[in-house]
Amino acid sequence: MRIAIIPARGGSKRIPRKNIKPFRGKPMICWPIAAALEAELFDEVIVSTDDDEIARIAEYAGALVPFRRPAALADDLAPTRDVIIHAIADAETRHDRTVGMACCIYATAAMLRADDLHRGFEMLADRRKISFVFAATGYGHPVHRALMRRETGGVRMITPEYARTRTQDLPEAFHDAGMFYWGRRDAFMADEPMFSPRALPCMIPRSRAQDIDTPEDWDLAETLFDRLSRPEVPA
């Protein structure tokens, strides 16, 4: 059995009601639900929430909401891994079957596409020694050139050993795109680290990878979404 798990608690603070705030014509959570359903990879697309309004919207969008998340898993400090483990255990109890793979999809992944989920699934399914595949994207500028402020004033390079290295000679660097995390059931349940030699990145173009934590992030995500949705004009 394969399941998708979309964590969506009701208590977001920096952007109130972020998971169901209207985003280009739909409540935000409806976009990743649609991508997960379109992928046709999952026996269930589950939304894990403590919030009745989020549950109603998720069910209307086609997801399953088989429980209300316990209060201990619904505060600011609840680890996402604990939410995933809870949802896997619930699915196994309801179906009396073992989950083979699960995919955690963030509720604000509005630019996620079904083919992204397919690529991640195939990367995991084809490599038995890999535990996780996660969405990742490259940095817009070489991270090795990053600077920090000094407490005493001025700045310093974080990695001064690269101060004289040509940009084209710098090693590739990328970061978690905050969209999805495919994993094997046992790896999730054993709390294996997400980022390790047993994990692989599924690369997403920077034009579709925008984490949403602040109002500024939201505005940028809408701009990127509009640009992607705009039909190309023939030359």
Side-chain angles (χ1 to χ4, degrees), residues 32-76:
I33 289 174
L37 293 172
E38 182 185 346
E40 297 184 340
L41 287 168
F42 305 107
D43 295 285
E44 292 184 342
V45 175
I46 298 165
V47 169
S48 171
T49 187
D50 59 320
D51 187 279
D52 288 343
E53 185 181 12
I54 292 176
R56 287 194 299 271
I57 291 172
E59 289 175 335
Y60 182 80
L64 181 69
V65 189
F67 54 79
R68 292 296 181 272
R69 195 192 301 180
L73 296 178
D75 63 21
D76 290 344

Side-chain angles (χ1 to χ4, degrees), residues 96-158:
D96 194 24
R97 293 169 56 196
T98 300
V99 170
M101 294 182 187
C103 185
C104 174
I105 301 173
Y106 278 170
T108 54
M111 288 174 277
L112 175 65
R113 295 177 177 174
D115 67 287
D116 299 326
L117 296 172
H118 273 276
R119 287 192 297 117
F121 169 71
E122 290 165 4
M123 290 173 68
L124 186 61
D126 290 345
R127 297 166 174 84
R128 298 303 305 174
K129 293 184 178 180
I130 294 298
S131 295
F132 297 109
V133 172
F134 62 95
T137 195
Y139 286 94
H141 184 78
V143 66
H144 309 85
R145 302 288 194 193
L147 304 172
M148 291 182 63
R149 293 182 184 274
R150 293 180 179 272
E151 292 183 4
T152 56
V155 299
R156 67 176 179 85
M157 291 189 70
I158 293 178

